[in-house]
Amino acid sequence: MDNHRVDKFIKNPRKALFSLAWPIALGMLIQALYNVIDTIFVGRLGAEAVAAITFSFPLFFFIIAINSGIATGMSSRISRYMGQKKIKLAENTAMHGIVLSIIISIILFIVGYLSLNSIFHIFGADQAVIPLAQSYFRIILYGIVFMFITFTTFNVFIAQGDTKTPVWIQVFALLLNIVLDYVFIYVLEYGVSGAAIATTITFAVSMVFGIILIKTKSQLQ
């Protein structure tokens, strides 16, 4: 973390904590809104389509929880190293965090893809809803690597005291998701699958922006 941020924090800790915390809280809200927006757009397709999205909620938030755990642990360690001026160790931690997130996302993809039918049965979905839920969440699983890398790169910025860069990317991504939902669900008529395609594309775009900004704006390389 550069000196002016440290000095600012020491001078007024309460104000500094608030300026760091509100973008993180907003970012978490935005991440949770992906499913809500999908549900709003899918709502016009009928009750079974809404049910399919609803049954996917617990899986989606489970993935977010694991993603957040990896990213938060990584950012905590990076912050400590940067406070000690050990930049190389901080960069090494960031790289390990990204690699770990990729490995975990691949494992979750494999397990999820092979067990979706059983999971939705356990959740109590009926036979009319399960195919729709599977078609939606399988596409979400295709984007899980993008999602994990994106959230990890965001936390590299957060660890440096820059909480605003990630949230502006997330705001842009959320607006993009709204546009793509309309295009894929109604214009291209992909239905429930269209909502998942839109979300997956949004994750991919967010990842690209995150990587570009890591290259151009981050103190850690």
Side-chain angles (χ1 to χ4, degrees), residues 20-34 64 68 151 154 158 163-164 166-171 174:
L20 289 172
W22 74 259
I24 296 174
L26 180 59
M28 293 175 70
L29 175 62
I30 290 171
Q31 197 168 29
L33 283 176
Y34 280 108
I64 289 177
S68 298
F151 206 67
F154 286 173
I158 291 171
T163 57
K164 293 181 181 178
V167 82
W168 293 131
I169 299 175
Q170 287 175 295
V171 169
L174 186 67

Side-chain angles (χ1 to χ4, degrees), residues 78-94:
I78 289 173
S79 295
R80 292 198 298 273
Y81 280 139
M82 294 198 69
Q84 297 166 9
K85 310 300 182 185
K86 297 177 179 178
I87 303 302
K88 289 297 181 184
L89 287 175
E91 290 176 341
N92 183 267
T93 301

Side-chain angles (χ1 to χ4, degrees), residues 63-139:
I63 289 172
I64 289 177
I66 295 176
N67 197 359
S68 298
I70 295 170
T72 302
M74 177 203 69
S75 63
S76 173
R77 193 171 183 87
I78 289 173
S79 295
R80 292 198 298 273
Y81 280 139
M82 294 198 69
Q84 297 166 9
K85 310 300 182 185
K86 297 177 179 178
I87 303 302
K88 289 297 181 184
L89 287 175
E91 290 176 341
N92 183 267
T93 301
M95 182 55 68
H96 277 80
I98 292 171
V99 171
L100 180 61
S101 69
I102 292 172
I103 293 171
I104 298 297
S105 65
I106 291 172
I107 292 171
L108 287 173
F109 168 80
I110 294 171
V111 173
Y113 198 88
L114 295 176
S115 60
L116 271 186
N117 187 59
S118 299
I119 290 172
F120 288 128
H121 272 294
I122 293 170
F123 285 174
D126 59 39
Q127 292 301 320
V129 172
I130 287 177
L132 291 173
Q134 285 180 321
S135 67
Y136 173 82
F137 207 78
R138 279 207 173 105
I139 296 172

